Amino acid sequence: MHTDVTYSNIDQIFTLSGLRSDHWRELLAVARKWSSEKASVDQVKRVFDQLRAIEMLHAYPGAQLIEALAAYIETDQKEAFNALVGRISFSILARYYKEDPHEWEVLPHAEKDIDRNTSSTTTADRPYFEVLVVAPDNGDLINRNIRLMRSQRQKEDEFIYEPLVVNNFQDAFCAIAVNSNICAVAIFDGFDFASHQPVPQLERMMSDLNIHEDDDHLALQLATTLSAHRPELDIYLMSDQRPQNIASDPRSICIRRVLYAVEEPIELHLAILEGVRVRYETPFFDNLKRYAQRPVSTFHALPIARGKSVFHSDWIRDMGQFYGRNLFLAESSATTGGLDSLLEPTGNIKRAQEKAARAFGADHCYFITNGTSTSNKIVLMAVAQPSDIIIVDRNCHKSHHYGAVLGGLLPYYVEAFPMKEYSMYGAVPLRTIKQALLSLKAEGKLDRVRVVDLTNCTFDGHVYNTRRVMEECLAIKPDLVFLWDEAWFGFAHWSPFLRPRTAMGAASNIEAWLDDPASITAYEQQQEALGEQPNDEALLNTRLIPDPRKVKLRVYQTNSTHKSMSAIRQGSMILVKDVDFYGIEPQLHEAVFTHSTTSPNQQLIASMDVARRQMELEGYGLVSNSIQMALDIRNQINKHPLISKYFRVLGADEMIPSEFRSSGFEDFLAQGINWSDAVLAIRDDEFFLDPTRITLICGTAGFDGTQFKSLLADKYEIQVNKTSRNSVLLQTNINNTRSDVAQLVHVLLEIVTELGKKLSHLGEDGKKSFNERVYSLMSDVPDLPNFSYFHETYRNDVAGVAVEGNIRDAFFKSWSPENCEYVGLFSDECDRRLQDGPPMVSAKLVIPYPPGFPILVPGQVISKETISFMRKLDVKEVHGYEANRGLQLLKLSSSDTP
C-alpha cells in the first residue's frame, strides 16, 4: 500500500477536501507498519507532519488530539498512536465527530467534559458547522475568547458549531477553500497576512486569483476576498477601533454585522446562529410541514389531498404505503389558509423565491414547475414580441425553437463548431455571433434584434466565457437581452472557479465594471484605436469593450434545479438581472400565466425551497466533491492499463479546438496541470470544459453509444446521461458517492476483461469483423450538417446575407394536410429533387436522439448534407420523422418553384 501522503499543491482543493479521509487512512497504514517494525518513526513523522499542515484548516480533530498524537510519536507510544489515528480517521469518514462530543476527547467517554457544549448529550439532532475565527497570534487572549464563545452555547440552540482559529490572511483563505464545514467567519483586527505553513503553491494560487496584501485595511480586504470566493458565508468583523467607521465603508457590504470586540461575546454567538438560521429557513417547506399536521377538511377538487381515498381503499393503499402519509397530507389545491399561490405569490412562496434569488446572485427568481423547457418559453415570450429577431444556437434545446414558434419570433441561426469524429457539436464561437450582429446591422435590421439565446453549458460540457460574450455583443448593440439556458449548470454557482462563467456570475462582474469609472476610460481608448468607422474585420478581431454609458444589462438564466440539485423532477428556476425589470415585469407575469399550470405540485415547490437551503449551507462541499469524483473517474479510466485499451475519456484538447483555448490549457490530467492553470483557462479561454461532464468513448470497444448505454443499464444497473454515435456522457453530481465511482470502474474492468477474452477466441475473421466495427464507429462517421437556409416563402429579405426565418408560419402551415407531402428518405425522388428541384422544405422539427439537436426546422430547405447525415443515422428515435412515410415537406406554390 502506498503510505506516503503527498500534497502536490494546496490549490488542488478538490483533492484535499475530497480525499481527506484517505489521507488519514494512509497515516493509519504507516502507523500499523511502525507498530510491526516495518516502518521507522521518521516515516511516521513525515506523513504526520504533512497531514498536520492541512488539518490546521479543520476544527476536528483540533489541537488537543493533534498534540496528543505528536506526544505519542515523541514518547514511542505506538499502540496509543495507532488507536487514536484509527479513531480519528473513522470519525472523519463516518462524520461521528459532528454528533458525539466525546469524539473530541483524547480518551473517549472520559468523565472530563471538553466544554464543547453545556450538555454532554449527543448533538446528532442538530446540524453541525464550523466558525472560522481569524485573530492575531496572542495565544492566551485568543484561547480566552474561544472559551467565551463556547460558553455561550446552549443545548436549546438549533445548531452546534465549533470554532477554528487561524492567525493570518493566507491560512484563512485556505481554510474556506478546503473546509466545506465552515459556514461563518469571525474576523478580529490585528492578524498577519503571510502563512507560516508549508504550502508551496499558495502564493501562485493567490496571485492567479488577484489576492495580495493591502495595507489599507487587512480585515476588510479579507472579508471581501472570502466573500468573493464563497459568497454564501456569513462574515462578522470584530473591531476595537470605532466599528461604526468600518460599517460605513462601502467594502463592508459583504459583512453581515460589525461588532465592537470588547462587548459581550453572546452577541457574536447569537449573530452566528441567526445567520445560519436565515439560510436554514425554507419558508414554503416549513409552512407545508405545518400545514400537513393540521386537521383540515377538504372540499376542493383534489381527492388525493389528506390521503383518505388512498389509505381507506382496498385497491390502492399500496400507493400510500409506498409514498408515505406525509405526501398526501401535504397536498392541497388551496392557496389560502396559510398556503400561497405560485402564480401570484404574496407570502411564503414569495419569500422562498427571494431567498433563492439572493442565493444565486440574482435580483429576482421565479419557481417554475414545468421544467426548463417551460422556463425558456416564458423568458422568450416576456422579452420579445412577434417579428423580433433572436440570434440562437441552431443546436439548442427544442424548447427555444418552439418558443420562437409560439411567440412569432424570427430565429437567426448561428452554428456551433462541429466535432465530426464524435458526432456532436460544441458551442457557438463568439466571432460567429458578432458576425451575425454585424451582418444584421449592415442590412438595417439591428434594431429588430432583441435576444441572444445560447446554451451554457452544452449537453457535452462546453461552457461559454459568458462575460466576454455579453460585453462584446453589447459593444455592437447595447440593449440586447441575453437568455442563457443553464439547465445543466445550476450547480456551478457553488464553485468559485465555475461561478464567473454562469450568467448571473458574469452579470455581477459586468455590473461592477460598469460602476467603475475606469470602464469609460477603457472604452474611449479602444474607440480611439479603432477609429471612427472600423470595418467588420477589425471589429471581429478586436476584444470589444462596450460603452458603459449606453449599456443596459439585461440577463436571464434558466436552471433545471432538478438536474444538478436536490429538487424533484421538473423543478426549474428563472433567475433575472435586468435593469428594465420593472418595465417588463407585467409581461413576465403574463408569460408565467400563459405557460404555467394553475395546479402546481406542492412537493415540487417545496423541493426547490429545500434545494436552495442545501446549496447555501453545504453546496460548496458537495460540488467540490462531485468535481473531485469526476477527476478521479478520468484518472482511473485513462491511466488504467486494461480499461484504457478500449475506453477513454475525452479531454479539453479533444473537445475544444486550440484556437478557443488561448491559455494553452489541455486537460485536467495533462502532465504538470494543476488548478492554477485551470483558473487561468476559466478566466481567459473562449470555451472551458465542465469537469463534471465526462465524455466516455466506447466506439473503440465496438459499442455505439445507444448500445453501450443499454448494456450499462440492463446488465449493470448503471444509468448514464446521453449518447452519441461512439460515446456516452457520464455526469457526476452532488448525489454521487465514491462507491458509485468504484462500481463504474469495476464494471468497465469487467467489460474489457470479457472483451479481451472474446477477441482472443474469435480468430482472424472475428478480429477483422471487430476492427471493421470500430472503424465504422470511429472513422466512417457522417459529416454534421449545418443549417442550410430558410426558403424564401418563409423569410422577408430574399436578397440579404443575414436572413432570419418565419418559423411560425411554416410550423402552422403543416397542420393542414393539403399543404404537405411526403418523400421517402432513401427514395429516387429524394435524390432527384436534391439535384433538380423543386427544393424540399421541411414541415417539422426533426430531432434524432442522439445527438438530440434539430437537424431540420419548419421552413428550412433540406440540403444534401442533411440527407446524407440522416441516411447514416442508426438510432431508433427521431422526433418529427416517420420512417414508413418519409420526410414531411411543405408544398410550394408554382410561384415558389424555379
Side-chain angles (χ1 to χ4, degrees):
M1 178 182 290
H2 175 66
T3 58
D4 184 15
V5 183
T6 301
Y7 301 107
S8 58
N9 300 305
I10 189 70
D11 55 342
Q12 293 173 340
I13 63 171
F14 306 109
T15 300
L16 290 175
S17 178
L19 301 183
R20 184 185 178 207
S21 59
D22 281 2
H23 298 150
W24 275 97
R25 302 302 287 183
E26 289 174 359
L27 177 61
L28 180 61
V30 74
R32 287 171 175 167
K33 288 186 176 182
W34 181 36
S35 294
S36 59
E37 306 297 334
K38 295 180 181 179
S40 68
V41 67
D42 288 338
Q43 288 176 290
V44 175
K45 283 183 178 179
R46 184 172 66 253
V47 177
F48 175 67
D49 288 343
Q50 289 174 325
L51 189 61
R52 188 177 191 173
I54 301 302
E55 286 306 311
M56 54 81 66
L57 304 176
H58 299 269
Y60 181 84
Q64 185 180 19
L65 295 181
I66 290 293
E67 293 307 319
L69 289 173
Y72 290 152
I73 293 176
E74 293 302 320
T75 56
D76 203 38
Q77 297 186 57
K78 300 175 183 176
E79 296 306 320
F81 183 83
N82 244 330
L84 187 52
V85 170
R87 183 159 63 85
I88 292 172
S89 66
F90 192 74
S91 184
I92 290 172
L93 180 65
R95 303 194 295 181
Y96 287 164
Y97 69 93
K98 295 184 176 183
E99 303 173 359
D100 187 352
H102 294 295
E103 288 293 327
W104 297 69
E105 302 171 9
V106 176
L107 299 175
H109 306 293
E111 292 185 5
K112 179 184 176 183
D113 191 84
I114 63 168
D115 196 29
R116 179 161 182 259
N117 197 342
T118 56
S119 168
S120 61
T121 58
T122 180
T123 62
D125 57 335
R126 291 184 288 172
Y128 164 92
F129 66 96
E130 294 176 7
V131 177
L132 177 65
V133 178
V134 189
D137 189 13
N138 45 2
D140 292 340
L141 180 60
I142 290 302
N143 290 334
R144 176 180 175 275
N145 286 335
I146 295 301
R147 286 196 299 271
L148 285 172
M149 282 184 69
R150 288 194 175 115
S151 70
Q152 309 307 315
R153 298 178 301 189
Q154 304 293 323
K155 62 182 179 181
E156 293 83 11
D157 292 341
E158 294 177 70
F159 318 105
I160 184 74
Y161 68 83
E162 190 68 28
L164 163 65
V165 183
V166 298
N167 57 33
N168 62 79
F169 188 116
Q170 293 185 332
D171 285 348
F173 180 81
C174 277
I176 65 107
V178 171
N179 187 347
S180 60
N181 284 327
I182 295 173
C183 286
V185 182
I187 301 174
F188 291 79
D189 281 330
F191 57 89
D192 296 328
F193 181 82
S195 171
H196 304 293
Q197 298 298 323
V199 283
Q201 289 297 317
L202 181 60
E203 293 291 345
R204 179 178 177 183
M205 179 187 183
M206 290 194 167
S207 175
D208 290 338
L209 295 175
N210 198 28
I211 298 172
H212 57 275
E213 186 170 3
D214 182 352
D215 292 330
D216 181 31
H217 200 300
L218 198 57
L220 277 175
Q221 186 198 358
L222 178 61
T224 55
T225 300
L226 300 187
S227 179
H229 200 72
R230 289 183 58 183
E232 76 277 9
L233 294 176
D234 292 326
I235 299 176
Y236 304 92
L237 202 154
M238 314 294 292
S239 178
D240 54 9
Q241 297 181 3
R242 299 181 64 82
Q244 62 271 27
N245 291 347
I246 298 173
S248 63
D249 191 305
R251 291 175 295 174
S252 70
I253 194 69
C254 64
I255 297 172
R256 182 174 178 84
R257 190 170 176 188
V258 179
L259 295 168
Y260 192 39
V262 298
E263 288 179 342
E264 284 293 321
I266 186 65
E267 293 298 329
L268 177 60
H269 169 72
L270 294 176
I272 288 170
L273 292 183
E274 175 63 17
V276 172
R277 187 181 300 113
V278 167
R279 283 178 281 163
Y280 188 81
E281 180 198 22
T282 44
F284 183 76
F285 179 58
D286 294 343
N287 187 65
L288 198 61
K289 287 190 293 182
R290 291 191 293 269
Y291 172 82
Q293 301 307 311
R294 289 161 51 191
V296 177
S297 296
T298 60
F299 294 93
H300 53 61
L302 195 65
I304 207 170
R306 315 306 290 177
K308 299 170 188 175
S309 67
V310 176
F311 291 100
H312 294 172
S313 170
D314 294 332
W315 301 100
I316 66 169
R317 66 177 63 152
D318 59 326
M319 182 172 77
Q321 294 164 353
F322 180 77
Y323 285 110
R325 185 173 295 275
N326 280 343
L327 176 69
F328 304 96
L329 290 175
E331 272 294 2
S332 176
S333 65
T335 57
T336 56
L339 297 175
D340 199 3
S341 167
L342 182 63
L343 296 184
E344 288 281 10
T346 57
N348 47 74
I349 292 180
K350 182 173 185 256
R351 289 196 295 118
Q353 292 182 152
E354 289 170 348
K355 281 178 170 283
R358 184 206 67 242
F360 283 95
D363 293 335
H364 307 277
C365 174
Y366 292 84
F367 290 171
I368 305 299
T369 60
N370 308 66
T372 298
S373 296
T374 297
S375 293
N376 291 329
K377 295 170 192 171
I378 287 172
V379 174
L380 286 175
M381 180 178 178
V383 301
Q385 300 181 28
S387 298
D388 281 347
I389 298 172
I390 61 171
I391 293 177
V392 58
D393 179 2
R394 193 265 306 209
N395 308 298
C396 64
H397 187 264
K398 64 181 181 179
S399 59
H400 299 268
H401 304 275
Y402 284 120
V405 169
L406 295 175
L409 311 179
L410 307 181
Y412 182 104
Y413 289 118
V414 286
E415 292 286 355
F417 64 82
M419 294 180 286
K420 174 186 173 182
E421 58 270 46
Y422 310 119
S423 294
M424 63 178 74
Y425 281 92
V428 183
L430 177 54
R431 186 183 182 91
T432 302
I433 301 168
K434 288 166 65 178
Q435 182 64 74
L437 287 168
L438 292 172
S439 297
L440 288 162
K441 180 180 180 180
E443 296 181 12
K445 301 177 183 177
L446 193 59
D447 62 312
R448 293 171 49 207
V449 180
R450 190 67 53 214
V451 183
V452 172
D453 183 357
L454 298 168
T455 304
N456 186 52
C457 69
T458 67
F459 260 129
D460 302 291
H462 297 93
V463 183
Y464 284 87
N465 191 327
T466 45
R467 176 174 181 174
R468 181 177 175 186
V469 169
M470 290 194 283
E471 285 183 341
E472 294 214 46
C473 289
L474 290 170
I476 299 172
K477 189 174 194 294
D479 63 345
L480 276 172
V481 181
F482 295 91
L483 168 55
W484 294 98
D485 181 347
E486 299 194 2
W488 302 89
F489 207 46
F491 73 93
H493 177 81
W494 310 102
S495 165
F497 297 99
L498 298 177
R499 188 186 308 118
R501 292 231 169 192
T502 66
M504 290 298 112
S508 293
N509 290 333
I510 294 174
E511 203 171 40
W513 179 82
L514 292 173
D515 289 337
D516 186 348
S519 61
I520 296 176
T521 303
Y523 167 75
E524 290 177 341
Q525 288 176 346
Q526 182 175 90
Q527 290 302 109
E528 184 178 351
L530 285 172
E532 291 187 7
Q533 293 184 324
N535 58 38
D536 283 5
E537 195 62 25
L539 295 174
L540 291 171
N541 293 329
T542 300
R543 176 36 166 119
L544 298 179
I545 299 173
D547 186 344
R549 295 158 297 194
K550 295 181 179 178
V551 165
K552 299 177 70 174
L553 191 61
R554 308 188 61 195
V555 185
Y556 291 77
Q557 173 183 327
T558 56
N559 283 349
S560 287
T561 316
H562 66 99
K563 282 188 169 73
S564 63
M565 289 167 268
S566 300
I568 295 174
R569 191 175 178 89
Q570 291 191 10
S572 177
M573 294 182 187
I574 298 174
L575 302 173
V576 183
K577 190 176 281 290
D578 184 349
V579 295
D580 283 349
F581 174 76
Y582 292 105
I584 204 173
E585 186 178 14
Q587 297 164 219
L588 191 55
H589 276 131
E590 199 66 30
V592 170
F593 296 157
T594 301
H595 292 281
S596 297
T597 175
T598 54
S599 302
N601 186 291
Q602 304 275 56
Q603 321 317 319
L604 206 161
I605 302 169
S607 75
M608 286 192 277
D609 200 9
V610 172
R612 186 275 313 158
R613 175 214 282 177
Q614 180 182 41
M615 298 309 285
E616 275 205 287
L617 289 167
E618 59 179 342
Y620 176 82
L622 292 172
V623 172
S624 294
N625 186 57
S626 68
I627 293 174
Q628 182 267 315
M629 284 189 291
L631 299 179
D632 194 28
I633 290 172
R634 282 181 162 84
N635 186 68
Q636 292 287 338
I637 293 174
N638 284 2
K639 295 185 178 180
H640 194 285
L642 293 180
I643 296 175
S644 61
K645 288 176 64 177
Y646 297 102
F647 297 100
R648 78 176 193 279
V649 174
L650 297 182
D653 52 345
E654 295 174 284
M655 297 280 284
I656 302 173
S658 59
E659 61 262 34
F660 303 125
R661 291 181 284 111
S662 61
S663 71
F665 182 77
E666 295 180 359
D667 185 45
F668 303 103
L669 300 181
Q671 187 69 31
I673 292 293
N674 58 43
W675 274 100
S676 287
D677 302 304
V679 167
L680 293 176
I682 290 171
R683 186 189 68 192
D684 297 336
D685 289 355
E686 185 166 340
F687 300 112
F688 186 79
L689 198 62
D690 173 10
T692 69
R693 303 180 77 76
I694 303 164
T695 298
L696 177 67
I697 295 298
C698 57
T700 44
F703 299 104
D704 65 58
T706 302
Q707 180 185 9
F708 191 62
K709 178 180 180 180
S710 298
L711 172 67
L712 290 177
D714 297 341
K715 184 174 180 179
Y716 298 105
E717 303 294 342
I718 292 177
Q719 299 175 355
V720 300
N721 204 331
K722 69 172 278 285
T723 66
S724 77
R725 179 181 178 85
N726 49 29
S727 72
V728 295
L729 178 67
L730 313 173
Q731 182 181 13
T732 58
N733 56 48
I734 65 172
N735 183 60
N736 289 124
T737 65
R738 296 174 67 191
S739 297
D740 296 329
V741 175
Q743 171 67 358
L744 172 65
V745 174
H746 180 75
V747 165
L748 293 177
L749 180 59
E750 181 179 324
I751 290 172
V752 299
T753 301
E754 291 180 2
L755 181 58
K757 290 179 180 178
K758 179 181 177 181
L759 290 175
S760 67
H761 292 91
L762 283 179
E764 291 303 317
D765 289 343
K767 291 179 181 178
K768 180 181 178 182
S769 177
F770 174 79
N771 290 334
E772 288 174 349
R773 170 69 171 165
V774 172
Y775 177 81
S776 171
L777 291 170
M778 298 302 301
S779 300
D780 186 22
V781 293
D783 287 327
L784 294 172
N786 284 339
F787 180 78
S788 53
Y789 56 93
F790 284 106
H791 189 268
E792 61 188 49
T793 306
Y794 304 104
R795 63 182 198 251
N796 298 323
D797 186 355
V798 178
V801 175
V803 180
E804 65 285 353
N806 192 333
I807 191 173
R808 177 184 175 88
D809 283 359
F811 179 87
F812 284 108
K813 188 174 182 180
S814 71
W815 285 28
S816 299
E818 63 270 18
N819 294 330
C820 297
E821 60 180 327
Y822 290 86
V823 171
L825 179 63
F826 296 92
S827 67
D828 293 339
E829 174 69 4
C830 182
D831 291 329
R832 185 191 66 77
R833 291 186 62 170
L834 283 175
Q835 181 173 337
D836 302 326
M840 295 185 290
V841 179
S842 179
K844 297 289 186 184
L845 276 160
V846 177
I847 310 173
Y849 287 86
F853 58 80
I855 57 174
L856 290 171
V857 299
Q860 178 184 345
V861 173
I862 301 175
S863 65
K864 181 179 179 180
E865 291 74 20
T866 301
I867 295 298
S868 297
F869 181 79
M870 290 189 69
R871 286 174 174 175
K872 286 191 176 183
L873 282 174
D874 53 2
V875 299
K876 297 179 180 178
E877 187 177 355
V878 183
H879 295 182
Y881 171 72
E882 300 176 66
N884 60 326
R885 303 183 73 181
L887 294 161
Q888 185 177 359
L889 309 177
L890 292 171
K891 291 180 179 178
L892 302 174
S893 65
S894 57
S895 60
D896 294 328
T897 57

